[in-house]
Amino acid sequence: GYIATLLESLRASQTGGLDVRAVVVDNGSEDDGAAVARAFGDWVSVIRNETNQPLAKAVNQSMRAALEDERTDYVLVLNDDVS
């Protein structure tokens, strides 16, 4: 699925001292995306919403989690619902 492809690409970018971490918000999905994301290890944090929340709320959840980590210098928000 998309989440595995995205996380594989992010993992591959961890070269030259770049420390990439991901926060995945599973926004009420019915697939196995949260489990797939967790399988990538401790550099991926997963927030699981039982129901689909408005996009802004899900983005705020991910931003809050990223910014609580003192190692965070930059944040990139990606949304797989955008085509």
Side-chain angles (χ1 to χ4, degrees), residues 46-58:
V46 177
I47 299 169
R48 174 85 171 99
N49 292 329
E50 291 301 318
T51 59
N52 190 355
Q53 300 298 308
L55 176 62
K57 181 175 181 176

Side-chain angles (χ1 to χ4, degrees), residues 29-43:
S29 70
E30 296 177 2
D31 63 13
D32 61 348
V36 169
R38 283 188 187 98
F40 275 83
D42 62 357
W43 67 276

Side-chain angles (χ1 to χ4, degrees), residues 60-80:
N60 286 341
Q61 288 176 301
S62 66
M63 295 290 287
R64 190 175 306 113
L67 295 173
E68 286 175 352
D69 186 331
E70 64 188 28
R71 300 170 294 175
T72 300
D73 292 322
Y74 305 98
V75 176
L76 172 65
V77 176
L78 301 172
N79 180 357
D80 71 345

Side-chain angles (χ1 to χ4, degrees), residues 2-3 6 25 31 55 78-83:
Y2 295 116
I3 193 67
L6 170 69
V25 178
D31 63 13
L55 176 62
L78 301 172
N79 180 357
D80 71 345
D81 288 342
V82 177
S83 56

